[in-house]
Amino acid sequence: RKVSIIGAGNVGATTAQKIVENGLADVVLLDIRDGVAQGKSLDILEAGPLMGFDTRIVGTGHYEEIADSSVVVVTAGFSRKPGMSRDDLLHKNGEIIRDVAHNIRKFAPDSIIIPVTNPMDLMAYVLWRVTGFPRERVIGMGGALDSSRFAYFLSEETRTSVSNIHSLVMGGHGDQMVPLLDFSTIAGVPVRKIIPSDRLEAIVTRTRNGGAEIVHLMKDSSAYFAPAAAIYSMIESILHDRHRIIPSSVLLEGEYGIRGAFVGVPVRLGNQGLEEIIQLPLSAEESSQLAHSAAVIAEGISALNR
Ligand code: NAI
């Protein structure tokens, strides 16, 4: 089994390290910055004797190396810097992702792609369009991270183990995310029955701003440990064919009344990629929040084509 990661920055390299240390798959780490992917790969390998793994990782600048990958994770590109508008980011990363997509189509035409680069729902759309892959093989990472952040905050609030918490965040990965309170539970009990509404509201707001909270603390970088864990969980469900339900950004074709956009919804992931979109009975308010989120993404798709 082979996983390729395009972009050897914070998220890409941390994901590579998790995969290699856990022996999940061999890894190819690719970056355009000369030597960076090679250097980080060697650094990871040199931990093998200490951590006891024999998994392989190759750092490279050449796409030939990604041939025969089961999964290709796309983390190449910029994160938003102060003063950069979302539109600036959209166009800068859009160009990078188009190039990455051409190379994936050429060198790893049978792979499953996990788009991560922001704005993720839109970069997923670009990867899908340019590769021409079926929607089952383009599955964006967003909801896994947002749901994990939500679950962590719920566990902190209630002093309950994260293992007792199931949380679900749908919608666009960004300000438009839609945390689903009726489907978020602690030991099976909906959170609304356990946490007072003002506290719950504060937790939802903190989840929405989860990425920004970390950028604010770190100044010159954004989150990467939890993002890498979120990517890892998706790859693990795919490679081990575990059929886990993980909220992810996939192309909707009428599900939830949405068509033609990548939007975060709960999906079942196995070795064919997207196996099923789980359709939940949403409340009227949640449905309208999801529709709003999808409209913002659709607007982004139009901006991409301008
Ligand atoms: P980073 O700046 O540490 O790494 C980006 C890497 O991409 C750099 O090593 C750079 O050399 C490389 N790169 C740039 N152009 C390339 C190209 N054409 N081909 C190959 N490599 C190229 O950034 P970081 O923190 O790793 O984040 C990466 C992206 O992931 C950002 O867009 C960020 O916003 C996004 N992100 C998304 C998350 C999500 O939940 N979907 C969570 C965290 C980050």
Side-chain angles (χ1 to χ4, degrees):
R1 278 194 294 254
K2 176 167 159 184
V3 172
S4 291
I5 300 175
I6 314 302
N10 284 334
V11 177
T14 310
T15 305
Q17 184 195 25
K18 271 194 207 311
I19 295 171
V20 170
E21 285 195 356
N22 287 301
L24 181 62
D26 289 334
V27 171
V28 171
L29 186 59
L30 185 148
D31 202 283
I32 45 162
R33 279 190 295 162
D34 199 29
V36 170
Q38 291 87 336
K40 290 191 181 185
S41 297
L42 182 58
D43 195 10
I44 289 171
L45 283 174
E46 287 169 357
L50 297 164
M51 303 297 290
F53 61 79
D54 290 301
T55 338
R56 286 163 40 79
I57 172 167
V58 174
T60 186
H62 300 290
Y63 275 97
E64 289 83 357
E65 302 270 6
I66 75 167
D68 302 321
S69 298
S70 306
V71 175
V72 179
V73 180
V74 180
T75 68
F78 299 91
S79 47
R80 196 145 69 113
K81 300 276 166 2
M84 201 189 221
S85 76
R86 277 179 200 277
D87 258 15
D88 293 342
L89 186 68
L90 179 63
H91 288 107
K92 281 182 95 150
N93 283 347
E95 250 170 66
I96 291 172
I97 295 305
R98 267 188 203 97
D99 175 58
V100 170
H102 281 294
N103 281 298
I104 296 175
R105 183 174 67 181
K106 182 163 175 201
F107 292 102
D110 300 321
S111 60
I112 294 168
I113 304 176
I114 301 184
V116 177
T117 305
N118 276 318
M120 184 275 295
D121 303 291
L122 298 174
M123 296 302 106
Y125 181 87
V126 171
L127 282 157
W128 170 72
R129 274 299 291 267
V130 174
T131 56
F133 282 14
R135 71 166 176 169
E136 285 73 20
R137 292 201 279 120
V138 183
I139 308 161
M141 192 287 282
L145 172 61
D146 297 333
S147 300
S148 184
R149 284 182 173 144
F150 188 33
Y152 172 68
F153 299 146
L154 291 169
S155 94
E156 197 185 55
E157 174 74 18
T158 57
R159 295 173 49 82
T160 306
S161 164
V162 290
S163 65
N164 291 122
I165 300 183
H166 280 279
S167 66
L168 182 56
V169 176
M170 289 177 55
H173 178 62
D175 308 341
Q176 314 301 329
M177 70 178 76
V178 184
L180 295 191
L181 301 182
D182 292 337
F183 295 98
S184 296
T185 58
I186 300 175
V189 181
V191 290
R192 258 202 254 267
K193 294 200 172 144
I194 298 176
I195 301 172
S197 61
D198 58 328
R199 290 300 309 153
L200 199 50
E201 200 48 52
I203 291 170
V204 165
T205 303
R206 191 175 177 196
T207 303
R208 244 184 250 291
N209 299 328
E213 182 177 358
I214 294 201
V215 174
H216 180 73
L217 289 166
M218 304 214 284
K219 310 284 188 272
D220 58 353
S221 103
S222 54
Y224 51 96
F225 291 116
I231 299 165
Y232 182 91
S233 72
M234 294 172 69
I235 299 174
E236 201 254 355
S237 190
I238 292 169
L239 293 184
H240 287 174
D241 202 22
R242 287 191 63 190
H243 316 294
R244 284 183 66 186
I245 294 172
I246 299 178
S248 310
S249 183
V250 297
L251 180 73
L252 298 185
E253 292 174 337
E255 297 86 2
Y256 291 98
I258 298 164
R259 189 175 290 280
F262 276 74
V263 179
V265 291
V267 299
R268 206 175 59 220
L269 298 181
N271 64 15
Q272 303 300 307
L274 165 64
E275 295 182 331
E276 187 190 351
I277 294 173
I278 313 297
Q279 306 228 40
L280 299 171
L282 301 186
S283 69
E285 192 196 335
E286 288 161 347
S287 292
S288 91
Q289 283 180 17
L290 191 65
H292 175 67
S293 189
V296 171
I297 294 168
E299 171 54 34
I301 292 173
S302 320
L304 263 177
N305 298 326
R306 277 202 287 274

